[in-house]
C-alpha cells in the first residue's frame, strides 16, 4: 500500500515537472495566454496611435503647405515656395491657419498609425515564421527584402482602412476663409461627399495611394530596421554601446528611412491629391483658379492624371511641394519611430519584429 502511494506521488511529481517544462518552452517560444495577448495588442495599438498623433502635429504647418502646393492651380499661383507659403498662410489666416486640417489629420493618422505599426509586427512575425520553415534555419532573421514586404503589407492595410478620412482631410486642408463652401469638420465632409458625389468618391485616388504606399511604407520600415541592425552589429565609430541605440541615433535612422521612402513615392502622392479634388463642385479657389484662368479638374484615372499633369505643367509638377514635404517627413518619420518604441517600452510591450 505504501509502495503504491509512493509510486502515485512520484508519477504526480513527474507530471508536474513535465507540465512546468512545457510551460517554460511555450514561454520561450513567445506563446502567451489569450488575456496577455489581447493586452499586448492593445498596448501596441496605443503606442502606434500616440506615435502618429505626436509626429503629425509636430509638422502640421508643413503638411498643410505641402498639400496646397500639390493641388494649387498652375495659372493662379498663391503659394510660391516653402518660406513664402508659410508667411502667406500666417498673414492671411493667422496661427490657426497653419494647423488647419490637423484635427482631421490626427483623427485619421492615430488609427492609421496604430494599425500600421501593429500590422507590421504581425506581418513580420508571420513572414519570419514562413522563412524559417522554408529555410530550415530556426535562427534565421528577416532580410531587408522581407522587411520591405512586411512594411508594404502594413501600409496597404492601414491606408485602405482609413482612406476616406484621408480624402476629406485633403479637401479640408486646402479650403480657406474665402472658399465658396466650408466643410465644418471631418464627419460633415464625409457626409457631404457621400451625398453629393457618391460612395466611390470617398476612394478617389486610392489606386495611386496603394501603389505609392508599397515603396513608401515598405522602405520606411525596411531601411529603419536594417540600419538599426547594421549599426548594432558593426558598431561604426563607437556609436553603439551595450547593443543599445541612443534616441539620437534612432532619430537619425528614422530620418534616413523617411528621406528614402518619400523621395521614391512622392509623384504618386501628388497624383492622389489631385484625383481627390476631382468632382468638388465648390472647390477652394486655390484648386479651381479665378476668372479666365479657372480650369476644371478632370481626370479619368491615375494614368490620365499623370499624363495631363506632365503635359500641362511639366515633369517638375510631380514634385510640387517636395521641399516642405522633405523638411516635414524627415522629423515626422523619425519622431514616429522613436515615440513608438518609447511608448512601447513604457507600456512594457515586447518588441518581436526580429526575434
Amino acid at each position: 500500500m505504501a509502495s503504491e502511494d509512493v509510486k502515485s506521488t512520484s508519477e504526480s511529481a513527474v507530471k508536474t515537472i513535465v507540465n512546468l517544462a512545457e510551460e517554460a518552452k511555450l514561454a520561450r517560444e513567445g506563446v502567451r495566454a489569450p488575456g496577455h495577448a489581447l493586452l499586448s495588442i492593445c498596448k501596441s495599438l496605443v503606442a502606434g496611435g500616440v506615435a502618429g498623433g505626436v509626429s503629425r502635429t509636430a509638422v502640421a504647418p508643413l503638411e498643410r503647405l505641402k498639400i496646397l502646393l500639390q493641388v494649387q492651380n498652375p495659372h493662379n499661383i498663391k503659394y510660391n515656395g516653402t518660406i513664402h507659403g508659410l508667411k502667406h498662410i500666417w498673414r492671411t489666416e493667422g496661427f490657426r491657419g497653419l494647423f488647419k486640417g490637423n484635427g482631421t489629420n490626427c483623427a485619421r493618422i492615430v488609427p492609421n498609425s496604430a494599425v500600421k505599426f501593429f500590422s507590421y509586427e504581425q506581418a513580420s512575425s508571420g513572414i519570419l515564421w514562413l522563412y524559417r520553415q522554408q529555410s530550415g534555419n530556426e535562427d534565421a532573421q528577416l532580410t531587408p527584402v522581407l522587411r520591405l514586404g512586411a512594411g508594404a503589407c502594413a501600409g496597404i492595410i492601414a491606408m485602405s482602412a482609413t482612406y476616406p478620412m484621408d480624402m476629406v482631410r485633403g479637401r479640408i486642408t486646402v479650403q480657406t476663409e474665402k472658399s465658396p463652401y466650408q466643410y465644418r469638420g471631418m464627419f460633415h465632409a464625409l457626409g457631404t461627399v457621400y451625398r453629393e458625389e457618391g460612395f466611390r468618391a470617398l476612394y478617389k485616388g486610392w489606386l495611386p495611394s496603394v501603389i505609392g504606399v508599397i515603396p513608401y511604407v515598405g522602405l520606411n520600415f525596411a531601411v529603419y530596421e536594417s540600419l538599426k541592425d547594421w549599426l548594432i552589429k558593426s558598431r561604426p565609430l563607437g556609436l553603439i554601446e551595450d547593443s543599445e541605440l541612443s534616441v539620437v541615433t534612432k532619430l537619425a535612422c528614422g530620418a534616413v528611412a523617411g528621406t528614402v521612402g518619400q523621395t521614391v513615392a512622392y509623384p504618386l502622392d501628388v497624383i492622389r491629391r489631385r484625383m481627390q479634388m476631382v468632382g468638388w463642385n465648390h472647390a477652394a479657389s486655390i484648386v479651381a483658379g479665378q476668372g479666365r484662368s479657372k480650369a476644371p479638374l478632370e481626370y479619368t484615372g491615375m494614368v490620365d492624371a499623370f499624363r495631363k499633369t506632365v503635359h500641362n505643367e511639366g515633369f517638375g509638377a510631380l514634385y510640387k511641394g517636395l521641399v516642405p514635404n522633405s523638411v516635414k517627413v524627415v522629423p515626422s518619420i523619425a519622431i514616429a519611430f522613436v515615440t513608438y518604441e518609447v511608448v512601447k517600452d513604457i507600456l512594457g510591450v515586447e518588441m518581436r519584429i526580429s526575434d
Side-chain angles (χ1 to χ4, degrees):
M1 194 72 177
S3 61
E4 290 181 359
D5 290 339
V6 172
K7 182 178 180 181
S8 176
T9 302
S10 62
E11 288 179 353
S12 178
V14 170
K15 287 181 181 180
T16 301
I17 293 172
V18 170
N19 289 337
L20 289 173
E22 288 296 324
E23 289 178 9
K25 181 180 178 182
L26 291 175
R28 287 197 304 271
E29 293 176 352
V31 178
R32 298 289 185 269
H36 186 285
L38 180 60
L39 181 61
S40 180
I41 290 172
C42 292
K43 288 180 177 179
S44 183
L45 290 172
V46 169
V50 172
V54 170
S55 63
R56 287 309 175 98
T57 300
V59 295
L62 291 167
E63 173 70 11
R64 185 182 183 216
L65 178 61
K66 178 202 77 171
I67 296 176
L68 289 169
L69 290 171
Q70 285 179 333
V71 303
Q72 71 175 342
N73 191 298
H75 304 292
N76 184 41
I77 302 297
K78 290 184 177 181
Y79 304 92
N80 188 17
T82 305
I83 303 300
H84 174 269
L86 290 173
K87 286 182 177 178
H88 183 79
I89 295 173
W90 177 275
R91 188 172 58 253
T92 58
E93 302 179 59
F95 178 78
R96 292 183 62 184
L98 295 172
F99 289 86
K100 181 170 288 185
N102 186 56
T104 305
N105 192 27
C106 286
R108 175 193 70 89
I109 202 63
V110 167
N112 178 280
S113 183
V115 172
K116 181 170 62 180
F117 277 102
F118 176 72
S119 298
Y120 176 71
E121 289 200 0
Q122 298 305 306
S124 295
S125 298
I127 290 173
L128 180 58
W129 182 82
L130 289 173
Y131 181 54
R132 286 175 173 175
Q133 292 295 312
Q134 291 184 353
S135 64
N137 181 8
E138 290 299 319
D139 296 323
Q141 300 297 321
L142 288 173
T143 65
V145 173
L146 293 178
R147 287 196 177 107
L148 178 65
C153 291
I156 292 173
I157 292 170
M159 184 274 299
S160 298
T162 59
Y163 191 80
M165 287 185 284
D166 181 67
M167 188 272 183
V168 298
R169 192 263 299 196
R171 293 194 177 185
I172 291 173
T173 299
V174 302
Q175 71 181 9
T176 64
E177 299 299 328
K178 297 181 180 180
S179 297
Y181 186 81
Q182 296 285 328
Y183 292 122
R184 296 192 296 270
M186 182 180 68
F187 293 108
H188 177 252
L190 286 169
T192 302
V193 172
Y194 177 76
R195 285 194 310 272
E196 296 184 356
E197 302 173 48
F199 177 78
R200 291 183 62 184
L202 295 173
Y203 281 88
K204 283 180 178 177
W206 180 82
L207 181 58
S209 296
V210 169
I211 297 173
V213 84
I214 293 174
Y216 180 62
V217 179
L219 285 171
N220 278 346
F221 279 109
V223 173
Y224 180 71
E225 294 294 335
S226 298
L227 191 54
K228 281 203 311 178
D229 284 353
W230 176 77
L231 287 172
I232 291 173
K233 291 176 182 177
S234 62
R235 303 192 177 197
L237 304 175
L239 293 174
I240 312 303
E241 295 182 3
D242 301 326
S243 298
E244 285 293 330
L245 298 179
S246 66
V247 173
V248 174
T249 305
K250 289 178 180 178
L251 282 170
C253 292
V256 172
T259 301
V260 173
Q262 67 97 23
T263 301
V264 172
Y266 194 78
L268 288 159
D269 189 52
V270 172
I271 294 303
R272 131 184 116 110
R273 287 293 173 207
R274 294 193 169 202
M275 291 180 68
Q276 288 175 350
M277 302 300 148
V278 174
W280 191 1
N281 295 328
H282 304 286
S285 60
I286 183 67
V287 177
Q290 296 173 336
R292 296 180 179 179
S293 63
K294 184 171 182 178
L297 293 165
E298 289 296 338
Y299 303 121
T300 58
M302 181 182 72
V303 175
D304 184 55
F306 263 111
R307 183 179 61 81
K308 287 181 178 178
T309 298
V310 174
H311 180 266
N312 295 331
E313 304 172 54
F315 184 78
L318 297 176
Y319 285 91
K320 281 185 174 180
L322 180 62
V323 173
N325 189 64
S326 297
V327 176
K328 174 212 70 151
V329 80
V330 171
S332 177
I333 296 297
I335 292 170
F337 276 121
V338 174
T339 303
Y340 179 67
E341 294 196 9
V342 170
V343 174
K344 286 195 73 174
D345 288 342
I346 293 172
L347 295 176
V349 184
E350 296 180 7
M351 297 293 287
R352 294 173 292 143
I353 292 177
S354 58
D355 290 348

